[in-house]
């Protein structure tokens, strides 16, 4: 894949949520394969630092676009800012939630913001940037989702629902675009070592236990398997397999998911850390 990323998909890639964690790891991996990258996130100083590091290491072109992807008009602004580029790979990695609490213990605006960032913006990104790929008959999209998508669970109502939306969207687009030269991958993350995860651990008074995936490994694995969609379960021994809940009926799957959250103090690692809630985005 290192030799064929740009020739197969195009010269530029966009990473939404590209300032640190899994997003920054994707940007580094894409740049190491010769792809120019656009980094998108809210914090411009962090974006610029990441961009400088990528330029120094890999000698590619890097643009930064400071946007809140949860705000109306953000994807239209991103499309305008990149209208002169042939975008061959789009990674949507924004949309984490590092606070698992009961549904009614979060205010309504927080829930609605999550839905906009994880559903509305993802769909708009796929439409705005996937359309030109289909027209050119080459390109790839990665929608980063979470094992919280496998089943409902206590304290995961809005987050799990949005990640299920992303998973089904990725799988559906893969089915529609697979004969158009466009690869789509729904990347299912488990517990991953990111700044967001560390902050969540600190906020809950717990020392980080070191039992998480390395963001670099997650990104490299996905980049190596872009054409093997629709779904890739990061770190799994059967990454193209189905739900780790297997043959459990829906009620038992929901109860198992809820026990996982409760046992881990509000953060999912889950069965073999494959249906865990990601706070890495």
């Amino acid at each position: 894949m290192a030799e064929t990323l740009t020739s197969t998909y195009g010269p530029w890639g966009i990473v939404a949520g590209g300032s640190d964690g899994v997003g920054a790891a994707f940007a580094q991996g894409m740049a190491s394969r010769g792809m120019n990258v656009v980094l998108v996130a809210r914090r411009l100083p962090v974006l610029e630092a990441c961009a400088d590091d990528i330029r120094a290491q890999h000698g590619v072109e890097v643009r930064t676009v400071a946007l809140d992807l949860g705000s109306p008009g953000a994807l239209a602004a991103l499309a305008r800012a990149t209208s002169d580029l042939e975008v061959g790979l789009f990674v949507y990695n924004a949309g984490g939630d590092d606070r698992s609490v009961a549904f009614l213990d979060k205010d309504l605006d927080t829930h609605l913001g999550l839905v906009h960032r994880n559903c509305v913006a993802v769909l708009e990104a796929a439409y705005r940037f996937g359309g030109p790929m289909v027209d050119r008959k080459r390109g790839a999209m990665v929608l980063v989702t979470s094992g919280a998508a496998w089943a409902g669970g206590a304290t995961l109502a809005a987050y799990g629902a949005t990640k299920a939306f992303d998973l089904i969207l990725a799988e559906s687009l893969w089915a529609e675009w697979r004969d158009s030269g466009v690869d789509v991958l729904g990347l299912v993350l488990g517990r991953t070592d990111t700044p967001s995860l560390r902050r969540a651990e600190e906020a809950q008074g717990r020392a980080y236990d070191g039992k998480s995936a390395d963001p670099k490994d997650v990104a490299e694995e996905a980049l190596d398997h872009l054409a093997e969609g629709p779904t890739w379960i990061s770190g799994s021994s059967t990454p193209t397999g189905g739900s780790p809940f297997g043959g459990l009926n829906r009620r038992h799957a929901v109860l198992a998911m809820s026990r996982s959250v409760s046992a881990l103090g509000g953060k999912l690692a889950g069965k073999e850390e494959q249906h865990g809630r990601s706070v890495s985005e």
Side-chain angles (χ1 to χ4, degrees), residues 190-210:
R191 194 166 182 260
T192 306
D193 182 12
T194 66
S196 296
L197 176 62
R198 301 283 183 128
R199 288 192 295 269
E201 295 279 2
E202 291 174 4
Q204 297 182 39
R206 288 192 296 273
Y208 174 64
D209 60 13

Side-chain angles (χ1 to χ4, degrees), residues 45-66:
V46 181
L47 280 177
E48 293 293 356
C50 184
D52 288 343
D53 187 42
I54 292 172
R55 292 186 191 104
Q57 287 193 54
H58 306 293
V60 299
E61 294 184 60
V62 184
R63 290 189 188 181
T64 59
V65 181

Side-chain angles (χ1 to χ4, degrees), residues 38 71 75 80 85 100-101 132 139 162 172 176 196 199 225 257:
V38 179
S71 64
L75 269 298
R80 288 193 297 271
L85 306 179
S100 288
V101 297
T162 64
S172 300
E176 288 192 22
S196 296
R199 288 192 295 269
H225 298 280
M257 180 72 84

Side-chain angles (χ1 to χ4, degrees), residues 160-279:
T162 64
K163 287 303 182 180
F165 178 95
D166 294 342
L167 181 62
I168 297 301
L169 178 63
E171 292 177 337
S172 300
L173 294 179
W174 173 86
E176 288 192 22
W177 295 348
R178 60 193 298 257
D179 295 325
S180 301
V182 179
D183 294 323
V184 182
L185 193 70
L187 178 62
V188 183
L189 297 190
R191 194 166 182 260
T192 306
D193 182 12
T194 66
S196 296
L197 176 62
R198 301 283 183 128
R199 288 192 295 269
E201 295 279 2
E202 291 174 4
Q204 297 182 39
R206 288 192 296 273
Y208 174 64
D209 60 13
K211 298 179 180 179
S212 301
D214 185 320
K216 180 179 178 181
D217 294 339
V218 170
E220 291 295 318
E221 185 181 10
L223 290 171
D224 285 342
H225 298 280
L226 287 175
E228 297 177 47
T231 310
W232 190 270
I233 308 170
S234 179
S236 173
S237 59
T238 55
T240 59
S243 165
F245 290 115
L248 289 180
N249 64 35
R250 295 299 295 179
R251 173 181 286 192
H252 290 155
V254 170
L255 292 174
M257 180 72 84
S258 300
R259 285 193 296 271
S260 295
V261 181
S262 178
L264 289 161
K267 292 191 305 304
L268 279 172
K271 181 178 178 182
E272 297 179 351
E273 305 208 353
Q274 293 311 312
H275 60 278
R277 168 186 171 280
S278 167
V279 294

